[in-house]
Amino acid sequence: MKKPTAKMQIKNFIFYKSFVLILSLILSCQQEKESLPKERPNIIFIMSDDHAYQAIGAYGSNLIKTPHIDRIAREGITFNNACVTNSICAPSRATILTGKHTHINGKTDNQRPFDTTQVTFPELFQKAGYNTAMFGKLHFGNNPKGVDDFMILPGQGNYINPDFIVKTGDTIRKEGYVTDVITDVTLDWLDKKRDTLKPFMLMYLHKAPHRPWWPRPDKFEAFLSKTFPEPETLFDSYENRGTAAKTAQMNLLTDMMYNHDSKIRPELTEKMKPQPAVPEYKGGFDNPYSNRATAAQKALYEPILDKINADFEENWPKMTNEEKMRWKYQRYMQDYLACISSVDDNVGRVLDYLDSHKLTKNTLVIYTSDQGFYLGEHGWFDKRFIYNESFKTPLLVRWPNEIKAGISSEEMVQNLDFAQTLLEAAQIPSPDDMQGESLMPLLTSNEAEWTRDAVYYHYYEYPAVHQVKRHYGIVTTAFKLAHFYYDVNEWELYDRKNDPYEINNVYNDPAYSEVVKSLKLKLDDLRNHYGDSDELNQKYINIHLENSIDSPLKRKSS
C-alpha cells in the first residue's frame, strides 16, 4: 500500500473538515427545528347523534358498510373501549364542551338548562387565535360560545327542509335533506369564509341518525329492500337482570311507534281493527314529514310510503307478536341505517375536500357520536343505560402528522377526555377544573404515560321518557358494577370478558365477592375524585321532580 503523498493528505484534511462543517450545520438546523414550536393543527370534530358503534364497518358491523368513516380508522386510531359519562344527548354534549362530568357542569338531563357560565373548549380555541365554527346539531342553547360562525338546528331539528339559527339570531329554513345541508354549509365555510391565515377548529355536527329516522328519498327506497341480521338478544326476557331492565320502556314491540317510527300513515292505523296498541306522539308523522316536505319531495317519498303501508295493512292483522317484533326491527334498521349511509357519504365529501386542498396531513379529524344506541339488542332502541350498546361510543381519530395509520387502543377513554385532548393537540393549556385526561399519549403511541384503568358513569333522567332508572357505576376492561337507586336499591355486576352480552348479573355470585368488594372501594374513590356524592344525587332528584311536567310537587302547587 502506497504511503499518502502530502498533496493527498491535504485533500483528505479538507474533505474531513468540510464533512464536519456540513454535519454540524445539519445538526444545528435540526436542533433549531426541534426547538421551534410545532405547527398547530387544524381540527375537525365530527359528531353524529345516536350513531351506534355496531353500525360502523371499522367496528366489524354486519349491518352496513361505512367506507368513508372507516377511512378515518384505517388512516388513524380506533378506540375499542370509548364510552360516555351519561348516555343521553344534551348532557353528553355538555360534557364534551366543558370536559366535566354532568353533576359538575349541571346539565344532568335533557330538561335542565346549560349553565352558560361554564367555559367551553371552543372559547379557549378562539382566544388562542383559532378560527372557529359550528354547524349542525348542538341540542341546547341558541348562542354557542367561542365560535366565529355558526348555523345550528333549534332543539332536535328536522330531517326535511330544516330550520337553522344563525349568528344574527335569525332562524332560516334551508330546503333539502339535513345531512346534505349541514355538509354544504360546512364546505362553504371551509372554502370561502374561513380565515386562511389561522388554523381552524370546526365542529361538524349531524342530526342523523336520531329518531324518527327519515332518510333521504333515494336511500329510503334503496334500504327498504334490504333485510338485516337480527341481534342474538332481540327476544331477551331480562332473566337474571334487575328491575331497571325489566321496567324500561324502549322495547321494539311495545314502545316503538307505528306512525312516528315505522312510517305508517295515521289514517291507516286509525281504521285498522284492532288498532296497534302503542301510544303515539301527537303529530309524530305529520310534523317531521307531511308539514315540512314540498310537493316535489312528497312525490319522491309517497311511492315508498305506499309500499310500506300496503305491506303493513295486508300482513299486520295476521302477525303474531314475534312476527310484529321482527317486522318492526327490519323497518327500524332500514330507516336508521339509511340515515347513516347519508352521514358516511357526507363525511367522505369533507375528507375529499381536505385532500384536494392539501389540508389532510396537519388536520386532526375526530369521528364520534354523542353516545351509543341499541339496534334491537335486548329488544331495545334508544340508549341511557350503562349497558354496553348504550355506554360505548364510536371514537376514530386521524392526524397523519402525529398518529400512525391503522392502530387501535383498548384503553378506557371517555367523552370527558375530548376537550383536553384537542387543547393539548393545539398547544393550548387546559383549565385546572377540567376532569378528563388528554388522549395524546394514546394517539402518539406513548401508552406508558396513560394511567387510567376505570371510568365513572352516572345517568339521571328518571322518571322520564323511556323510564330508565337512575344509576351510577364503574367500568373497567374486565368488569362493570352499577348501582340503581331512587325508587330501587339494586346492584348489578357484569363480567365483560365472559359475558359480552351482559345477560348474567353476577353481583350475588359468591365467586365474584372479592371483585364486588374491590370495585365498590374503587367506585367510592372515583366518586370522591370527581366530586360526586349521595347528597348530589338527592339534589338532582329534587330539581328534576320540581321541574317535571308530571311532578306531584308541581301538580300540588298548581
Side-chain angles (χ1 to χ4, degrees), residues 2 22 48 151 255 263 314 337 389 400 407:
K2 290 183 179 180
I22 292 168
S48 297
M151 193 178 84
D255 301 304
K263 315 300 185 295
E314 178 182 356
L337 296 169
E389 292 83 6
I407 61 176

Side-chain angles (χ1 to χ4, degrees), residues 96 213 328 482 507 536:
I96 289 168
W213 316 300
K328 278 189 163 184
Y507 178 78
L536 274 177

